[in-house]
Amino acid sequence: MTTNKLSNDQIKNEGQSTRLFYDPNSLSSFNGYRIVHTHFDLNVDFDSNILYGYVQLDVKPLSNELCDCSSTIKTENKEIPNNYGNQVVLDSRHLNIKKVLLKSNDIEKSLSFQVDIERESLTIEMNDESKDSTISIIIHYSTSNTKCSALQWLTKEQTADRQYPYMFSQCQAIHARSLYPCQDTPGVKSTFTAKVKCPKPLTVLMSGLQTNYDENTNTFYFEQQQAIPSYLIAIAVGKLASYDLSPRIRVWTESSMIRQCQYEFEHAEQFLTAAEQLLGEYQWKRYDFLVLPPSFPYGGMENPCMNFLTPTLLAGDRSLISTIVHEMTHSWTGNLVTNENWEHFWLNEGFTSFIEAKILGNLDKANGKEVRRFHAAQQWQDLQTAVATWGAAHPYTCLVYRLNNTDPDDAYSSVQYYKGAAFLWYLEQDVIGSESDFDEFLRSYIIKFGRKILNTDDFIQYFQSYFPQAPSVDWQSWLYTPGMPPITHDFSTKLEEQCNQLATQLSPITKEQMNMLNAKQVAYLLNVLLNHKSTINRDYIEQLDTNCDMSKYSNCEICFRWYQLCIRVKFEKYLDNIFEFLKVIGRMKFVKPLYAEFKSSWPELIPRVQTFFDEHKKYMNPITVKQIEIRLNSQN
Ligand code: BES
Ligand code: ZN
């Protein structure tokens, strides 16, 4: 086996060449000044649900000669501004800015500033401050108790243990600006240090390494020595327990869930070792993770040193571990090699999804090829669903899309994940034709772009220079054309065929047939049914339930698909279960399709659904609330 150690020196030697870039989702003056270090000094207030304190931004002015320019989408000529005069503009969403100070040689001086609520910006006047050295700006502020989109505050009754309140963040894609004033673009990477005080006996976790703890004041200290973009800043505060899964891996969660986590993620060290074998040495020292309350809006979030995971992965049979493999993989693709703006999101998620399937294969010594192919087949199926949901001509079904005036959350779907993974599969299998050569390329790509940012053009150029003899690729169709990919792969495996057969047989599926399938296959089978709208009807679904008792499944990947089928054919029997599910679970992968299905298949029920939503939205994550509102208000 080849192991390629990505040494610290190797990466640092590549240098931090500064280049100008474009980001339609940040108004900050990142082409005039760059934040290089961020220090937080914050207090967590559970009485008013705010964070307050200050942030110190160490900002480096850019001089034109240092920058090499690159455009975003080939076909367009972008104007990239980098002359902001004497102003530092930051992204700032509903923050209460109290004062702004300039700090030099321990002297602090007030700076004047304007907040633009509409544009979500904070403009700081630098007057005639020197443009040649790093400047420290200190901003005293507090977050909004009602409009902070990054934070969810839970009362003690909303937690599993019901004893203490809880708070957690979700900054990707552009919510960091509601947590602190910053250059909220993946193109700017900063190290950070933090001091955070919270009430006893709660614990603070952040996306860095804990460096200190003051027991008297319950103050936690953190440090992240690797420069990271704002979307990877994370914080969580709650009454938490932990368990060491290996010398470098610790799982955190509420006490009542710790045993389940211990079992479900017992093999985490093996996953991380397998990832290192493929991608090079793990660069973040510790790999800890927090299993959150069920309202967490994603399956997982790759916050460095402290991944966040949904508790819906706790299936009790380790059948949903692919998500932790995915988040771990982001430690290389995403957190070391980062898309320069959200239009190139596929460089984060497509690579990660592709590598996730590879690692799952590598972990299975006996059946690796099949396992990888079956995982790729599931991804392809999810891609079909996502393309059908948008409509095959929709611009958001392009691998690279435009985000002018669009919140990336509104364009988010599985397309960039699995069209991206399919594209890399095509490059590996059809264009290069050798898995080991492609693995070598991936390692070299990580060395080349690690601790930097890149866009799609950079990737194409690097691929072409690495494989000069490779046959030509239809980049245009893969990258910039909507709909399913230009090439359909055959991922067929026995695992998949078994499901297809059952889904298409004329006689109803029997209990014995169903019991032969593992959890992933059941989910796959339900997907086949969901993707073939015409064949399913109320009788079919009712018969399936009579034969197989679908209520016995507690695996969320199975439940949400089954519920979607029930809504589609108006099968009332499961309505209570569906509302209970929607009350507790906020993971958008499950919740968005259920609301959308109500809207399109069961319009008579919409008044009830709307009342339910209005009653519960105050307990829901702000990110999820916005996405459900979009679906309930849509016209179809
Ligand atoms: N980084 C994403 C989550 C994300 C993406 C949050 C964009 C906000 C904006 C994370 O790595 C992810 O992809 N999560 C997936 C799970 C994965 C196994 C596909 C999810 O939440 O479903
Ligand atoms: Zn991801």
Side-chain angles (χ1 to χ4, degrees):
M1 196 171 318
T2 10
T3 48
N4 192 324
K5 288 237 158 101
L6 190 69
S7 76
N8 288 324
D9 285 350
Q10 214 167 359
I11 302 177
K12 277 181 187 144
N13 285 344
E14 287 277 331
Q16 285 282 339
S17 85
T18 315
R19 70 170 202 195
L20 301 187
F21 65 95
Y22 160 78
D23 186 339
N25 298 114
S26 173
L27 277 181
S28 68
S29 52
F30 52 82
N31 286 327
Y33 296 86
R34 291 280 158 93
I35 299 174
V36 294
H37 182 77
T38 305
H39 175 72
F40 299 93
D41 188 319
L42 296 174
N43 299 279
V44 184
D45 180 347
F46 279 104
D47 295 324
S48 44
N49 290 354
I50 60 165
L51 296 181
Y52 66 92
Y54 72 85
V55 62
Q56 175 176 330
L57 305 175
D58 296 343
V59 175
K60 211 169 89 184
L62 294 187
S63 59
N64 278 346
E65 314 84 70
L66 289 174
C67 307
D68 51 328
C69 223
S70 94
S71 70
T72 301
I73 289 186
K74 254 202 238 145
T75 49
E76 249 151 312
N77 252 335
K78 284 272 141 47
E79 249 184 59
I80 300 180
N82 80 322
N83 180 6
Y84 290 87
N86 281 330
Q87 292 180 334
V88 172
V89 185
L90 299 169
D91 296 304
S92 168
R93 173 183 288 173
H94 299 297
L95 296 173
N96 178 6
I97 308 292
K98 299 189 174 133
K99 60 181 174 189
V100 180
L101 304 169
L102 180 80
K103 184 176 159 188
S104 63
N105 307 320
D106 282 334
I107 301 170
E108 292 181 354
K109 167 177 142 189
S110 270
L111 292 177
S112 62
F113 63 92
Q114 301 106 45
V115 173
D116 187 328
I117 296 174
E118 188 77 7
R119 292 163 63 82
E120 305 192 330
S121 68
L122 165 64
T123 302
I124 299 169
E125 301 297 336
M126 299 303 293
N127 307 323
D128 294 321
E129 298 311 328
S130 143
K131 267 215 129 191
D132 0 276
S133 58
T134 303
I135 299 160
S136 296
I137 301 172
I138 296 179
I139 304 167
H140 290 260
Y141 75 102
S142 62
T143 57
S144 162
N145 63 344
T146 49
K147 291 181 173 156
C148 174
S149 58
L151 298 180
Q152 186 178 359
W153 299 82
L154 305 181
T155 61
K156 60 182 184 199
E157 293 79 14
Q158 283 175 275
T159 65
D161 293 353
R162 307 180 76 83
Q163 302 285 313
Y164 298 97
Y166 200 119
M167 180 274 279
F168 64 83
S169 68
Q170 169 57 44
C171 284
Q172 197 182 8
I174 55 166
H175 302 285
R177 61 192 62 178
S178 72
L179 190 60
Y180 70 110
C182 57
Q183 295 180 327
D184 198 6
T185 164
V188 174
K189 296 187 181 186
S190 156
T191 51
F192 84 78
T193 46
K195 171 183 174 210
V196 185
K197 189 174 160 216
C198 75
K200 270 185 185 171
L202 306 188
T203 299
V204 182
L205 300 177
M206 282 192 82
S207 49
L209 304 172
Q210 190 184 326
T211 50
N212 218 332
Y213 170 61
D214 178 352
E215 210 186 327
N216 292 325
T217 56
N218 207 41
T219 304
F220 296 77
Y221 295 80
F222 302 91
E223 173 175 54
Q224 179 52 267
Q225 289 183 350
Q226 299 253 38
I228 57 166
S230 55
Y231 80 91
L232 292 177
I233 295 290
I235 182 168
V237 182
K239 179 77 173 78
L240 300 171
S242 71
Y243 177 82
D244 283 348
L245 293 162
S246 88
R248 58 176 171 173
I249 306 186
R250 176 174 302 162
V251 53
W252 291 89
T253 193
E254 290 186 68
S255 317
S256 59
M257 302 201 297
I258 198 80
R259 287 185 71 89
Q260 276 172 286
C261 291
Q262 205 177 318
Y263 174 80
E264 208 81 35
F265 303 115
E266 192 185 331
H267 300 139
E269 179 58 47
Q270 277 159 248
F271 307 159
L272 192 56
T273 306
E276 285 188 300
Q277 263 160 11
L278 181 63
L279 304 169
E281 194 184 349
Y282 181 70
Q283 298 288 310
W284 306 85
K285 298 200 172 90
R286 292 201 57 87
Y287 178 85
D288 296 333
F289 60 99
L290 168 66
V291 178
L292 287 124
S295 61
F296 184 62
Y298 291 95
M301 178 63 214
E302 64 270 29
N303 302 129
C305 305
M306 185 59 73
N307 283 184
F308 283 11
L309 295 178
T310 170
T312 61
L313 303 181
L314 301 169
D317 59 2
R318 298 178 180 154
S319 59
L320 303 178
I321 50 94
S322 62
T323 301
I324 189 170
V325 173
H326 176 99
E327 302 313 333
M328 256 177 197
T329 302
H330 275 306
S331 309
W332 289 266
T333 47
N335 299 3
L336 282 180
V337 178
T338 312
N339 51 211
E340 71 178 23
N341 67 43
W342 299 119
E343 296 186 335
H344 303 276
F345 187 48
W346 82 276
L347 293 170
N348 277 20
E349 297 301 344
F351 272 78
T352 301
S353 302
F354 172 75
I355 294 168
E356 163 201 335
K358 242 183 209 295
I359 292 174
L360 291 172
N362 292 351
L363 281 166
D364 194 314
K365 293 284 168 285
N367 231 354
K369 278 217 158 63
E370 282 261 304
V371 167
R372 182 182 175 204
R373 289 180 79 86
F374 183 59
H375 202 72
Q378 286 175 290
Q379 295 184 338
W380 182 267
Q381 212 184 29
D382 287 347
L383 173 61
Q384 286 177 316
T385 309
V387 168
T389 305
W390 288 118
H394 198 289
Y396 296 158
T397 64
C398 295
L399 208 43
V400 182
Y401 49 38
R402 310 305 324 268
L403 287 172
N404 294 334
N405 309 315
T406 308
D407 181 340
D409 285 357
D410 300 349
Y412 178 87
S413 77
S414 297
V415 170
Q416 287 64 37
Y417 288 69
Y418 304 137
K419 199 176 191 174
F423 184 36
L424 294 168
W425 178 281
Y426 162 75
L427 292 177
E428 176 186 297
Q429 303 276 322
D430 299 2
V431 178
I432 304 307
S434 154
E435 186 171 351
S436 61
D437 287 356
F438 203 75
D439 286 354
E440 206 62 56
F441 165 71
L442 285 176
R443 284 188 281 273
S444 125
Y445 164 84
I446 289 164
I447 291 170
K448 166 85 180 164
F449 294 105
R451 302 186 189 183
K452 293 209 192 65
I453 55 168
L454 85 166
N455 62 32
T456 302
D457 287 350
D458 298 321
F459 165 70
I460 298 175
Q461 257 181 34
Y462 190 63
F463 180 85
Q464 288 174 333
S465 69
Y466 190 94
F467 293 117
Q469 314 292 354
S472 72
V473 172
D474 182 0
W475 304 101
Q476 188 64 32
S477 299
W478 276 100
L479 296 165
Y480 304 108
T481 308
M484 288 300 285
I487 285 164
T488 302
H489 298 111
D490 178 12
F491 296 112
S492 53
T493 63
K494 279 198 210 81
L495 293 165
E496 187 208 8
E497 273 158 28
Q498 233 180 326
C499 307
N500 284 332
Q501 216 169 6
L502 293 186
T504 48
Q505 74 189 17
L506 291 174
S507 55
I509 300 169
T510 65
K511 187 174 172 185
E512 292 66 38
Q513 288 176 321
M514 199 69 147
N515 286 344
M516 278 165 45
L517 305 182
N518 66 34
K520 281 185 201 165
Q521 285 180 298
V522 176
Y524 189 95
L525 169 77
L526 298 179
N527 258 359
V528 179
L529 298 178
L530 281 164
N531 281 346
H532 292 84
K533 293 199 171 77
S534 52
T535 54
I536 65 141
N537 53 37
R538 164 100 189 211
D539 288 345
Y540 182 95
I541 293 301
E542 228 171 313
Q543 186 70 57
L544 187 62
D545 188 43
T546 311
N547 290 0
C548 308
D549 180 19
M550 297 303 289
S551 71
K552 70 170 181 265
Y553 292 106
S554 58
N555 183 313
C556 285
E557 293 283 347
I558 296 175
C559 288
F560 105 92
R561 291 182 172 90
W562 171 246
Y563 294 160
Q564 209 183 327
L565 283 167
C566 290
I567 299 170
R568 187 161 306 164
V569 302
K570 306 186 187 179
F571 187 29
E572 304 88 351
K573 181 177 161 193
Y574 280 87
L575 260 185
D576 288 346
N577 304 55
I578 295 172
F579 282 116
E580 197 46 45
F581 186 91
L582 291 174
K583 215 181 270 180
V584 178
I585 291 171
R587 184 175 174 189
M588 287 195 287
K589 176 185 178 184
F590 302 151
V591 167
K592 286 198 296 194
L594 290 174
Y595 278 95
E597 194 71 48
F598 272 125
K599 186 83 184 171
S600 60
S601 303
W602 208 341
E604 312 88 274
L605 227 70
I606 287 300
R608 177 164 167 202
V609 172
Q610 185 73 53
T611 310
F612 168 85
F613 172 68
D614 292 340
E615 261 169 39
H616 289 97
K617 70 177 173 198
K618 56 179 172 295
Y619 307 115
M620 292 169 58
N621 187 280
I623 298 174
T624 312
V625 169
K626 184 184 172 206
Q627 290 308 312
I628 295 174
E629 278 169 348
I630 291 175
R631 276 149 192 86
L632 284 176
N633 296 334
S634 82
Q635 285 320 307
N636 53 47

